[in-house]
């Protein structure tokens, strides 16, 4: 938040998704000024729904403005907003190059069938920009931006697929790193929560990226193979069964969400 104010933004909407009875909000509220609107959610809506809710509030307060969406664990470097604004156009979304705890990335490329990713294009892959930080033109700064079926992880891949296939928005990437992102601080990398959300995201993406019923079945089969291999490798490395339990939990969650039996996110498996 402070890095945004230091860069001279007109205002900030903080959507508090922590669901910790206001503890996090009380810490934040002690340091906010009139440019900040803090909204405490009654429950954790997840990243996608939280961002959409914040955009709705932003448009109510600053109608027709451009929006900079950014993770709570990401910070702008000095001059970042200026560097992004140079690339801004009415039909362009600006994606800053992000330093993900030493992994510096602009575009990533995701394989549609199996879901593995690379920094470079390769056959069967499509480009997407990290949802950790994006500068949106006014026309794109309106909810829903992200698919709220995704609680955490996968929403930026789905958004990348949508923009790539529809050609609605041009995605521009800055020349150098402009944002620092503390990876995994919200999800606890390697935890049951993390493993569940990764598996759920992959299973949901198999549906969102499909081009028809047969294609969807094939995508689920390919993602299933990838997830089984991933769980086996991560279980050996961690010497526990959390990846396997997370795989089963995530697929169960994704199926329940797809059938409309539960709301989105972590509450689906509680």
């Amino acid at each position: 938040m402070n890095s945004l104010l230091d860069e001279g933004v007109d205002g900030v909407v903080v959507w508090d998704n922590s669901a910790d009875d206001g503890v996090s909000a009380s810490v934040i509220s002690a340091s906010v000024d009139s440019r900040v609107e803090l909204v405490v959610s009654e429950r954790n809506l997840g990243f996608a729904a939280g961002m959409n809710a914040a955009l709705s509030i932003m448009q109510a307060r600053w109608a027709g403005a451009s929006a900079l969406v950014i993770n709570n664990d990401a910070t702008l470097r000095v001059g970042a907003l200026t560097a992004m604004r140079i690339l801004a156009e009415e039909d362009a979304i600006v994606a800053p190059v992000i330093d993900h705890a030493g992994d510096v990335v602009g575009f990533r490329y995701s394989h549609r069938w199996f879901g593995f990713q690379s920094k470079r294009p390769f056959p069967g892959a499509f480009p997407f920009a990290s949802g950790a930080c994006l500068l949106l033109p006014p026309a794109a700064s309106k909810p829903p931006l992200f698919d709220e079926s995704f609680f955490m992880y996968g929403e930026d891949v789905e958004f990348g697929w949508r923009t790539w296939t529809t050609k609605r928005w041009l995605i521009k990437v800055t020349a150098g790193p402009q944002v620092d992102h503390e990876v995994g601080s919200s999800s606890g990398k390697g935890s049951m929560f993390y493993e569940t959300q990764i598996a759920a995201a992959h299973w949901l993406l198999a549906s969102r990226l499909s081009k028809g019923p047969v294609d969807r079945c094939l995508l689920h089969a390919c993602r299933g193979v990838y997830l089984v291999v991933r769980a086996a490798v991560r279980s050996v490395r961690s010497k526990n069964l959390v990846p396997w339990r997370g795989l089963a939990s995530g697929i169960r969650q994704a199926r329940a969400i797809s059938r409309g039996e539960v709301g989105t996110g972590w509450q689906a498996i509680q």
Side-chain angles (χ1 to χ4, degrees):
M1 180 180 66
N2 289 333
S3 70
L4 302 180
L5 297 174
D6 290 343
E7 284 295 292
V9 297
D10 294 330
V12 178
V13 175
V14 177
W15 184 269
D16 182 9
N17 243 349
S18 52
D20 59 0
D21 297 322
V23 175
S24 298
S26 63
V27 175
I28 297 172
S29 62
S31 60
V32 300
D33 60 28
S34 59
R35 291 177 293 172
V36 179
E37 182 161 343
L38 173 61
V39 183
V40 181
S41 178
E42 293 182 358
R43 63 183 179 88
N44 190 344
L45 302 179
F47 178 82
M51 281 295 189
N52 288 342
L55 283 173
S56 179
I57 293 171
M58 188 216 83
Q59 285 298 329
R61 184 166 177 180
W62 299 283
S66 297
L68 179 72
V69 297
I70 187 168
N71 277 21
N72 66 304
D73 56 358
T75 56
L76 298 180
R77 294 185 177 183
V78 175
L81 192 57
T82 298
M84 284 186 273
R85 280 174 169 164
I86 290 173
L87 300 176
E89 295 181 20
E90 291 184 1
D91 63 345
I93 293 173
V94 179
V97 172
I98 301 176
D99 186 339
H100 300 274
D103 184 20
V104 180
V105 182
F107 271 131
R108 283 192 187 274
Y109 297 84
S110 179
H111 196 274
R112 190 171 78 92
W113 292 94
F114 292 97
F116 46 81
Q117 298 177 5
S118 172
K119 294 181 182 181
R120 297 183 179 181
F122 61 98
F126 62 92
F128 74 96
S130 172
C133 186
L134 294 169
L135 178 61
L136 309 172
S141 302
K142 301 173 184 177
L145 178 70
F146 293 118
D147 184 336
E148 296 184 8
S149 297
F150 297 88
F151 183 81
M152 184 177 288
Y153 305 117
E155 69 289 319
D156 51 2
V157 178
E158 188 279 334
F159 181 66
W161 171 256
R162 204 175 344 129
T163 55
W164 187 67
T165 53
T166 63
K167 310 299 182 185
R168 173 64 181 87
W169 302 104
L170 174 66
I171 309 295
K172 293 185 174 183
V173 180
T174 59
Q178 302 296 338
V179 176
D180 292 302
H181 181 211
E182 185 180 347
V183 180
S185 65
S186 299
S187 59
K189 196 169 185 179
S191 66
M192 179 64 175
F193 178 88
Y194 173 82
E195 297 295 342
T196 295
Q197 297 310 321
I198 288 291
H202 275 284
W203 206 252
L204 288 168
L205 281 168
S207 296
R208 298 299 186 273
L209 274 54
S210 68
K211 301 176 181 178
V214 175
D215 192 50
R216 182 166 57 252
C217 289
L218 291 173
L219 277 167
H220 275 127
C222 290
R223 294 278 173 151
V225 170
Y226 171 80
L227 288 171
V228 167
V229 173
R230 178 185 180 278
V233 172
R234 291 181 65 81
S235 183
V236 170
R237 287 177 177 174
S238 62
K239 298 180 181 180
N240 61 54
L241 297 177
V242 170
W244 288 108
R245 287 163 38 211
L247 171 58
S249 177
I251 292 178
R252 186 167 67 249
Q253 172 180 312
R255 285 176 171 173
I257 291 171
S258 296
R259 291 194 298 264
E261 296 176 358
V262 296
T264 59
W266 183 242
Q267 63 268 27
I269 63 168
Q270 296 300 294

